[in-house]
Amino acid sequence: MAAFAELRAHAHVRRWTALVLLFAFIALTLDADTVRRTHTEEAIYRDRFGLVEWMALNLLDGAQDAFIDLLPGGVTPFESERLDAVERFFELGDRARRIQGQLALAVARDGAEHPESAKLQAEVEALRRERDSLTDLVELTIGEAVSDALRSEDLESGWGPLRPLFPPVSFKITRVPQLIVVSPRDRIAYHESRLLDPDITPVRMEELEAAVGPAHDFSAVVTRIGGLASYPALVSDRQSFRSAVRTIAHEWLHHYWYLRPLGWAYYDSPEMTSLNETAAELAGNELGDIALVNLGHAPPAPVPAPNVRGDDRADEPQEFDFADEMRETRLRTDELLAEGKIEEAEAYMEERRRLFVEHGYAIRVLNQAYFAFHGTYAESPASSSPIGAQVRRFREHTDSVGDFVRRIGQFSTYQEFLDYLDTLPPEAE
């Protein structure tokens, strides 16, 4: 096995070249609203997350790390040591996530001013400090496993005789920014969103949601995200091992498609945004599970529904079906809003939120903005889009996940995608 120092130098040198190109590309393709001072931007200004600044700092860090790694005297951990570090890293993360889940459920039940908040957060901070010393080695080990998964699916797209991966896999497992999402009150639609400080408190979340919400005839929610396709990608340190590896693959797919028609058209319409995200979710899960095998883990059995419980009942058999109940909530909300019954829809969503909390699901806010965000992922039970089924059908007619990634990346409009689906054999009854 190559020396640890040589591996890190190789990874950073490859990232350095791609980083300059992708940094410029992403900066140029950011939504134009990011340079206009909207009411939301005014309200969240002191809590905003500076994505461009973060990318610039990590660009410099990457160059510095590459230079240091070229110096003699690097350490060479055995493969077993690297895998042990990964196991320990996510074991600590699981403990932290259970505590965070307890806090989230308490806030969802009792409001932002929960008396145990400071104590529980201090426990999380202690676990995070222990994890920090493992982060570099863990990122390197997982990055190599994901890269191998991509190569196994013939997703090399670089130039030259060696055809390296381009863009290279580059990510940071860290505290990711939170997101405030804004939707009109009279319908579920993604109006705007802004990144917020990762450590914003529940009290401040409620203040911001009130500041940009009903008073301006909008609905707002502050929500956590699993990752962000900056470069390097931001990957949440609140995820399980499997979820983190899948997220890394998911965000790399956005990097890959940024250089192809599908990614160019990401912001062209809500349908193209959903097509990008749904395709990345499906393929990212498959590629992530291949990477898990590369790391010596057989993929665990699929979880039947997104588990956002915050208590000790999370692993018990569930009579309450989260996916079915959330889908019912979304469809009924759509009906009420279509009839112009805004206040009734909001009262209904709050009633349903309390039902989810009673069954252990830490949903702090359930409103139009919640559905606008989660509905972007067409496979989510919070979505009413047909795109999830359409993407699955497209996948069934491709030879491999690599073939799926290459072919779906060529669509520049949703209508092109639909036209192609019409050429496929009819589905069996």
Side-chain angles (χ1 to χ4, degrees):
M1 185 179 74
F4 178 48
E6 292 173 343
L7 283 171
R8 290 197 67 193
H10 175 63
H12 283 297
V13 167
R14 288 186 291 125
R15 291 171 187 172
W16 174 253
T17 303
L19 203 57
V20 174
L21 297 175
L22 279 172
F23 180 82
F25 181 83
I26 294 170
L28 289 172
T29 55
L30 286 174
D31 189 350
D33 281 347
T34 58
V35 296
R36 293 201 300 266
R37 187 62 65 83
T38 65
H39 174 74
T40 301
E41 189 70 23
E42 292 280 357
I44 62 97
Y45 187 75
R46 70 181 176 90
D47 301 288
R48 70 183 182 88
F49 178 82
L51 179 60
V52 173
E53 294 95 324
W54 184 89
M55 291 172 67
L57 286 172
N58 280 274
L59 180 68
L60 295 174
D61 286 346
Q64 176 178 293
D65 288 348
F67 175 75
I68 291 172
D69 287 339
L70 290 172
L71 298 177
V75 179
T76 311
F78 292 108
E79 182 177 3
S80 60
E81 183 180 340
R82 297 172 70 183
L83 296 178
D84 286 346
V86 172
E87 293 287 346
R88 179 60 178 165
F89 184 87
F90 285 101
E91 177 191 337
L92 292 167
D94 288 343
R95 289 165 57 188
R97 196 169 63 256
R98 282 195 292 272
I99 298 170
Q100 289 165 327
Q102 293 169 14
L103 177 58
L105 186 58
V107 169
R109 282 176 172 157
D110 306 325
E113 297 284 2
H114 186 69
E116 294 293 306
S117 177
K119 175 187 174 183
L120 293 173
Q121 193 57 45
E123 292 179 28
V124 171
E125 291 300 325
L127 292 168
R128 277 177 167 162
R129 284 193 294 272
E130 187 175 347
R131 292 181 90 195
D132 286 346
S133 63
L134 302 171
T135 300
D136 285 349
L137 185 54
V138 168
E139 289 174 348
L140 173 67
T141 303
I142 296 177
E144 289 296 320
V146 173
S147 296
D148 288 345
L150 299 172
R151 292 189 188 96
S152 74
E153 292 295 323
D154 298 321
L155 288 171
E156 299 95 333
S157 56
W159 298 272
L162 299 179
R163 289 183 57 77
L165 282 173
F166 189 86
V169 175
S170 185
F171 60 92
K172 292 287 185 182
I173 301 177
T174 185
R175 303 185 198 192
V176 301
Q178 299 201 56
L179 190 71
I180 186 166
V181 179
V182 182
S183 168
R185 289 181 66 209
D186 62 353
R187 63 191 185 282
I188 293 169
Y190 209 114
H191 176 69
E192 65 177 323
S193 62
R194 294 292 183 271
L195 295 172
L196 300 175
D197 186 287
D199 298 318
I200 187 171
T201 65
V203 171
R204 185 59 179 156
M205 291 178 195
E206 290 184 357
E207 291 173 352
L208 291 177
E209 289 160 352
V212 304
H216 301 273
D217 217 21
F218 285 107
S219 166
V221 65
V222 176
T223 186
R224 296 193 178 277
I225 57 176
L228 185 68
S230 54
Y231 200 87
L234 278 156
V235 176
S236 174
D237 65 355
R238 295 171 61 99
Q239 299 181 88
S240 67
F241 186 12
R242 185 189 195 194
S243 295
V245 176
R246 285 177 156 197
T247 298
I248 291 161
H250 177 122
E251 303 306 343
W252 180 86
L253 289 166
H254 286 309
H255 295 163
Y256 179 87
W257 287 326
Y258 278 152
L259 307 177
R260 288 161 178 81
L262 183 71
W264 299 340
Y266 185 100
Y267 293 107
D268 285 0
S269 68
E271 292 79 14
M272 285 306 291
T273 301
S274 184
L275 184 58
N276 270 269
E277 291 295 349
T278 305
E281 191 76 3
L282 186 153
N285 288 349
E286 289 194 52
L287 290 164
D289 286 350
I290 295 171
L292 280 170
V293 173
N294 293 341
L295 290 164
H297 283 252
V303 177
N307 193 341
V308 292
R309 283 175 173 250
D311 62 3
D312 293 336
R313 296 175 294 155
D315 297 325
E316 294 179 4
Q318 299 176 37
E319 294 181 5
F320 182 86
D321 190 304
F322 175 88
D324 286 348
E325 296 291 340
M326 182 57 75
R327 191 168 291 109
E328 177 186 329
T329 305
R330 171 62 195 266
L331 294 175
R332 179 57 181 155
T333 300
D334 283 339
E335 290 174 0
L336 291 170
L337 291 176
E339 295 168 5
K341 300 176 180 178
I342 298 174
E343 289 78 10
E344 286 186 35
E346 291 173 340
Y348 169 72
M349 285 186 281
E350 174 58 17
E351 176 188 327
R352 297 292 287 179
R353 185 194 73 83
R354 292 180 182 277
L355 176 67
F356 287 116
V357 171
E358 286 173 9
H359 285 85
Y361 293 91
I363 299 177
R364 188 181 55 83
V365 173
L366 184 60
N367 59 13
Q368 298 90 328
Y370 175 98
F371 284 120
F373 172 70
H374 290 281
T376 300
Y377 303 86
E379 292 282 65
S380 165
S383 173
S384 58
S385 169
I387 290 176
Q390 292 165 350
V391 171
R392 288 196 306 275
R393 184 172 177 230
F394 183 89
R395 172 67 183 94
E396 290 168 0
H397 288 83
T398 57
D399 296 332
S400 65
V401 64
D403 183 43
F404 169 86
V405 169
R406 288 186 295 274
R407 290 174 60 186
I408 204 166
Q410 299 308 308
F411 294 109
S412 59
T413 69
Y414 182 52
Q415 189 59 51
E416 284 181 11
F417 177 68
L418 293 179
D419 290 344
Y420 178 82
L421 290 181
D422 286 342
T423 70
L424 298 177
E427 295 182 274
E429 294 293 336

mmCIF file of all heavy atoms in Angstrom, residues 271-298:
data_model
loop_
_atom_site.group_PDB
_atom_site.id
_atom_site.type_symbol
_atom_site.label_atom_id
_atom_site.label_comp_id
_atom_site.label_asym_id
_atom_site.label_seq_id
_atom_site.Cartn_x
_atom_site.Cartn_y
_atom_site.Cartn_z
ATOM 1 N N GLU A 271 -38.689 21.361 -11.679
ATOM 2 C CA GLU A 271 -38.582 19.982 -12.142
ATOM 3 C C GLU A 271 -37.128 19.575 -12.360
ATOM 4 O O GLU A 271 -36.734 18.447 -12.022
ATOM 5 C CB GLU A 271 -39.372 19.785 -13.440
ATOM 6 C CG GLU A 271 -40.869 19.891 -13.296
ATOM 7 C CD GLU A 271 -41.376 21.326 -13.225
ATOM 8 O OE1 GLU A 271 -40.601 22.267 -13.545
ATOM 9 O OE2 GLU A 271 -42.545 21.522 -12.848
ATOM 10 N N MET A 272 -36.317 20.491 -12.898
ATOM 11 C CA MET A 272 -34.911 20.158 -13.121
ATOM 12 C C MET A 272 -34.141 20.077 -11.801
ATOM 13 O O MET A 272 -33.242 19.247 -11.645
ATOM 14 C CB MET A 272 -34.258 21.160 -14.068
ATOM 15 C CG MET A 272 -34.646 20.973 -15.517
ATOM 16 S SD MET A 272 -34.364 19.287 -16.145
ATOM 17 C CE MET A 272 -32.559 19.215 -16.155
ATOM 18 N N THR A 273 -34.507 20.918 -10.847
ATOM 19 C CA THR A 273 -33.895 20.809 -9.519
ATOM 20 C C THR A 273 -34.214 19.450 -8.914
ATOM 21 O O THR A 273 -33.333 18.746 -8.403
ATOM 22 C CB THR A 273 -34.405 21.928 -8.598
ATOM 23 O OG1 THR A 273 -34.095 23.197 -9.169
ATOM 24 C CG2 THR A 273 -33.767 21.825 -7.217
ATOM 25 N N SER A 274 -35.491 19.061 -8.993
ATOM 26 C CA SER A 274 -35.899 17.773 -8.435
ATOM 27 C C SER A 274 -35.262 16.616 -9.195
ATOM 28 O O SER A 274 -34.860 15.613 -8.583
ATOM 29 C CB SER A 274 -37.426 17.652 -8.481
ATOM 30 O OG SER A 274 -37.848 16.461 -7.864
ATOM 31 N N LEU A 275 -35.134 16.729 -10.506
ATOM 32 C CA LEU A 275 -34.510 15.661 -11.291
ATOM 33 C C LEU A 275 -33.052 15.491 -10.883
ATOM 34 O O LEU A 275 -32.568 14.361 -10.700
ATOM 35 C CB LEU A 275 -34.611 15.980 -12.783
ATOM 36 C CG LEU A 275 -34.083 14.909 -13.745
ATOM 37 C CD1 LEU A 275 -34.806 13.582 -13.546
ATOM 38 C CD2 LEU A 275 -34.214 15.387 -15.191
ATOM 39 N N ASN A 276 -32.320 16.591 -10.709
ATOM 40 C CA ASN A 276 -30.945 16.518 -10.246
ATOM 41 C C ASN A 276 -30.854 15.847 -8.888
ATOM 42 O O ASN A 276 -30.045 14.931 -8.681
ATOM 43 C CB ASN A 276 -30.346 17.932 -10.157
ATOM 44 C CG ASN A 276 -29.663 18.393 -11.420
ATOM 45 O OD1 ASN A 276 -28.463 18.208 -11.609
ATOM 46 N ND2 ASN A 276 -30.435 19.018 -12.311
ATOM 47 N N GLU A 277 -31.665 16.303 -7.941
ATOM 48 C CA GLU A 277 -31.565 15.801 -6.579
ATOM 49 C C GLU A 277 -32.016 14.335 -6.472
ATOM 50 O O GLU A 277 -31.406 13.548 -5.748
ATOM 51 C CB GLU A 277 -32.390 16.673 -5.628
ATOM 52 C CG GLU A 277 -31.831 18.070 -5.417
ATOM 53 C CD GLU A 277 -30.479 18.079 -4.723
ATOM 54 O OE1 GLU A 277 -30.048 17.023 -4.207
ATOM 55 O OE2 GLU A 277 -29.848 19.143 -4.700
ATOM 56 N N THR A 278 -33.063 13.989 -7.202
ATOM 57 C CA THR A 278 -33.567 12.622 -7.123
ATOM 58 C C THR A 278 -32.589 11.643 -7.765
ATOM 59 O O THR A 278 -32.345 10.549 -7.239
ATOM 60 C CB THR A 278 -34.947 12.534 -7.794
ATOM 61 O OG1 THR A 278 -35.817 13.510 -7.196
ATOM 62 C CG2 THR A 278 -35.554 11.154 -7.623
ATOM 63 N N ALA A 279 -32.007 12.032 -8.897
ATOM 64 C CA ALA A 279 -31.001 11.189 -9.550
ATOM 65 C C ALA A 279 -29.778 11.030 -8.661
ATOM 66 O O ALA A 279 -29.210 9.927 -8.543
ATOM 67 C CB ALA A 279 -30.611 11.781 -10.905
ATOM 68 N N ALA A 280 -29.347 12.119 -8.008
ATOM 69 C CA ALA A 280 -28.182 12.053 -7.125
ATOM 70 C C ALA A 280 -28.468 11.184 -5.906
ATOM 71 O O ALA A 280 -27.582 10.464 -5.420
ATOM 72 C CB ALA A 280 -27.766 13.456 -6.684
ATOM 73 N N GLU A 281 -29.702 11.228 -5.417
ATOM 74 C CA GLU A 281 -30.066 10.404 -4.262
ATOM 75 C C GLU A 281 -30.017 8.922 -4.630
ATOM 76 O O GLU A 281 -29.437 8.106 -3.915
ATOM 77 C CB GLU A 281 -31.460 10.796 -3.768
ATOM 78 C CG GLU A 281 -31.856 10.213 -2.446
ATOM 79 C CD GLU A 281 -31.183 10.889 -1.259
ATOM 80 O OE1 GLU A 281 -30.425 11.869 -1.452
ATOM 81 O OE2 GLU A 281 -31.404 10.425 -0.130
ATOM 82 N N LEU A 282 -30.636 8.573 -5.763
ATOM 83 C CA LEU A 282 -30.689 7.174 -6.163
ATOM 84 C C LEU A 282 -29.282 6.636 -6.458
ATOM 85 O O LEU A 282 -28.866 5.609 -5.914
ATOM 86 C CB LEU A 282 -31.591 7.025 -7.387
ATOM 87 C CG LEU A 282 -31.899 5.615 -7.888
ATOM 88 C CD1 LEU A 282 -33.251 5.575 -8.603
ATOM 89 C CD2 LEU A 282 -30.820 5.096 -8.828
ATOM 90 N N ALA A 283 -28.539 7.344 -7.312
ATOM 91 C CA ALA A 283 -27.208 6.863 -7.688
ATOM 92 C C ALA A 283 -26.222 6.983 -6.535
ATOM 93 O O ALA A 283 -25.344 6.126 -6.363
ATOM 94 C CB ALA A 283 -26.696 7.638 -8.903
ATOM 95 N N GLY A 284 -26.355 8.037 -5.723
ATOM 96 C CA GLY A 284 -25.463 8.198 -4.581
ATOM 97 C C GLY A 284 -25.610 7.069 -3.585
ATOM 98 O O GLY A 284 -24.629 6.606 -2.993
ATOM 99 N N ASN A 285 -26.844 6.595 -3.386
ATOM 100 C CA ASN A 285 -27.064 5.465 -2.484
ATOM 101 C C ASN A 285 -26.388 4.200 -3.020
ATOM 102 O O ASN A 285 -25.748 3.456 -2.273
ATOM 103 C CB ASN A 285 -28.559 5.226 -2.294
ATOM 104 C CG ASN A 285 -29.216 6.301 -1.450
ATOM 105 O OD1 ASN A 285 -28.547 7.122 -0.829
ATOM 106 N ND2 ASN A 285 -30.530 6.316 -1.445
ATOM 107 N N GLU A 286 -26.524 3.961 -4.312
ATOM 108 C CA GLU A 286 -25.902 2.773 -4.895
ATOM 109 C C GLU A 286 -24.378 2.853 -4.835
ATOM 110 O O GLU A 286 -23.702 1.890 -4.445
ATOM 111 C CB GLU A 286 -26.351 2.597 -6.352
ATOM 112 C CG GLU A 286 -27.795 2.174 -6.511
ATOM 113 C CD GLU A 286 -28.093 1.683 -7.921
ATOM 114 O OE1 GLU A 286 -27.351 0.806 -8.416
ATOM 115 O OE2 GLU A 286 -29.060 2.186 -8.532
ATOM 116 N N LEU A 287 -23.834 3.989 -5.217
ATOM 117 C CA LEU A 287 -22.376 4.148 -5.206
ATOM 118 C C LEU A 287 -21.834 4.131 -3.781
ATOM 119 O O LEU A 287 -20.765 3.574 -3.522
ATOM 120 C CB LEU A 287 -21.995 5.454 -5.904
ATOM 121 C CG LEU A 287 -22.222 5.475 -7.420
ATOM 122 C CD1 LEU A 287 -22.193 6.911 -7.940
ATOM 123 C CD2 LEU A 287 -21.170 4.628 -8.134
ATOM 124 N N GLY A 288 -22.577 4.737 -2.854
ATOM 125 C CA GLY A 288 -22.152 4.725 -1.462
ATOM 126 C C GLY A 288 -22.087 3.329 -0.896
ATOM 127 O O GLY A 288 -21.167 2.980 -0.142
ATOM 128 N N ASP A 289 -23.038 2.482 -1.281
ATOM 129 C CA ASP A 289 -23.030 1.109 -0.782
ATOM 130 C C ASP A 289 -21.875 0.303 -1.382
ATOM 131 O O ASP A 289 -21.322 -0.584 -0.722
ATOM 132 C CB ASP A 289 -24.370 0.442 -1.059
ATOM 133 C CG ASP A 289 -25.477 0.935 -0.127
ATOM 134 O OD1 ASP A 289 -25.148 1.641 0.852
ATOM 135 O OD2 ASP A 289 -26.654 0.634 -0.369
ATOM 136 N N ILE A 290 -21.497 0.613 -2.623
ATOM 137 C CA ILE A 290 -20.295 -0.018 -3.203
ATOM 138 C C ILE A 290 -19.065 0.407 -2.413
ATOM 139 O O ILE A 290 -18.185 -0.414 -2.104
ATOM 140 C CB ILE A 290 -20.151 0.362 -4.691
ATOM 141 C CG1 ILE A 290 -21.302 -0.216 -5.509
ATOM 142 C CG2 ILE A 290 -18.809 -0.130 -5.245
ATOM 143 C CD1 ILE A 290 -21.350 0.289 -6.943
ATOM 144 N N ALA A 291 -18.993 1.676 -2.045
ATOM 145 C CA ALA A 291 -17.856 2.166 -1.254
ATOM 146 C C ALA A 291 -17.816 1.513 0.118
ATOM 147 O O ALA A 291 -16.737 1.217 0.647
ATOM 148 C CB ALA A 291 -17.926 3.687 -1.117
ATOM 149 N N LEU A 292 -18.983 1.267 0.723
ATOM 150 C CA LEU A 292 -19.023 0.585 2.015
ATOM 151 C C LEU A 292 -18.424 -0.807 1.916
ATOM 152 O O LEU A 292 -17.707 -1.252 2.816
ATOM 153 C CB LEU A 292 -20.464 0.500 2.518
ATOM 154 C CG LEU A 292 -21.036 1.760 3.166
ATOM 155 C CD1 LEU A 292 -22.527 1.604 3.377
ATOM 156 C CD2 LEU A 292 -20.344 2.054 4.483
ATOM 157 N N VAL A 293 -18.713 -1.501 0.826
ATOM 158 C CA VAL A 293 -18.107 -2.819 0.618
ATOM 159 C C VAL A 293 -16.591 -2.674 0.493
ATOM 160 O O VAL A 293 -15.828 -3.483 1.037
ATOM 161 C CB VAL A 293 -18.707 -3.494 -0.631
ATOM 162 C CG1 VAL A 293 -17.954 -4.782 -0.957
ATOM 163 C CG2 VAL A 293 -20.188 -3.797 -0.407
ATOM 164 N N ASN A 294 -16.127 -1.623 -0.199
ATOM 165 C CA ASN A 294 -14.691 -1.368 -0.306
ATOM 166 C C ASN A 294 -14.050 -1.150 1.061
ATOM 167 O O ASN A 294 -12.860 -1.412 1.249
ATOM 168 C CB ASN A 294 -14.427 -0.139 -1.182
ATOM 169 C CG ASN A 294 -14.804 -0.356 -2.636
ATOM 170 O OD1 ASN A 294 -14.931 -1.495 -3.093
ATOM 171 N ND2 ASN A 294 -14.994 0.731 -3.370
ATOM 172 N N LEU A 295 -14.846 -0.673 2.015
ATOM 173 C CA LEU A 295 -14.362 -0.425 3.368
ATOM 174 C C LEU A 295 -14.567 -1.644 4.275
ATOM 175 O O LEU A 295 -14.371 -1.563 5.484
ATOM 176 C CB LEU A 295 -15.075 0.790 3.966
ATOM 177 C CG LEU A 295 -14.692 2.141 3.349
ATOM 178 C CD1 LEU A 295 -15.709 3.209 3.705
ATOM 179 C CD2 LEU A 295 -13.301 2.562 3.819
ATOM 180 N N GLY A 296 -14.970 -2.754 3.684
ATOM 181 C CA GLY A 296 -15.106 -3.984 4.456
ATOM 182 C C GLY A 296 -16.442 -4.174 5.119
ATOM 183 O O GLY A 296 -16.582 -5.015 6.009
ATOM 184 N N HIS A 297 -17.452 -3.411 4.692
ATOM 185 C CA HIS A 297 -18.777 -3.506 5.305
ATOM 186 C C HIS A 297 -19.795 -3.945 4.271
ATOM 187 O O HIS A 297 -19.908 -3.328 3.214
ATOM 188 C CB HIS A 297 -19.212 -2.145 5.875
ATOM 189 C CG HIS A 297 -18.543 -1.806 7.163
ATOM 190 N ND1 HIS A 297 -19.189 -1.817 8.371
ATOM 191 C CD2 HIS A 297 -17.265 -1.457 7.431
ATOM 192 C CE1 HIS A 297 -18.336 -1.488 9.332
ATOM 193 N NE2 HIS A 297 -17.167 -1.258 8.785
ATOM 194 N N ALA A 298 -20.552 -4.963 4.576
ATOM 195 C CA ALA A 298 -21.709 -5.285 3.757
ATOM 196 C C ALA A 298 -22.781 -4.248 4.050
ATOM 197 O O ALA A 298 -23.014 -3.907 5.210
ATOM 198 C CB ALA A 298 -22.226 -6.678 4.084
#
